[in-house]
Amino acid sequence: VHAILVRDGNETRLFSHGDAGARNVAYDSTTGRCHWFDFEMTHPAGLERRWRQADDLRALLFSALALVPEDDRRDHAAAMIASYPDAGVLGALYERLSGSALDFDTYHLAQSRLEASLHDTIRTMLLELLQRTRASDPEGGGRCPQS
């Protein structure tokens, strides 16, 4: 979905969803395609592409991993991260998750429908996996703006 070009006023930009939780995507096993819906949330105007898309990836990872049995979470998370093609977005996600444990807001908890303790467990696991990704691709990333 992040490869789609959309019109934004007089400009064209790469798409971001704004509320990319697992409950806002339907998978068609017959075609192997995903269908996204629920587009009323948007990212703040002017937010850089990789930060918008990192927020989408954050919402999808947390909400999808909450549905996976605990014993399988790490493998699923590693596969999702490994399959995401943009190292810059993965770097931005790492920077966002690297903030303090209290650096998430009520909206993000509600969006992923997780209790704070499960959110922190998944966050810690994702940071470990993303750290490995960053170590193997030091060019991917950068600094995420403070929110």
Side-chain angles (χ1 to χ4, degrees), residues 51 90-99 103 134 142-144:
W51 311 126
L90 291 172
L93 177 61
Y94 177 84
E95 293 297 329
R96 172 69 174 111
L97 295 178
S98 292
D103 194 23
R134 288 170 57 91
R143 298 294 304 166
C144 183

Side-chain angles (χ1 to χ4, degrees), residues 61-87:
L61 282 165
F62 277 85
S63 60
L65 291 171
L67 302 173
V68 173
E70 185 177 352
D71 292 344
D72 298 329
R73 261 186 217 135
R74 182 172 291 279
D75 290 340
H76 279 72
M80 291 170 76
I81 289 169
S83 68
Y84 194 81
D86 190 324

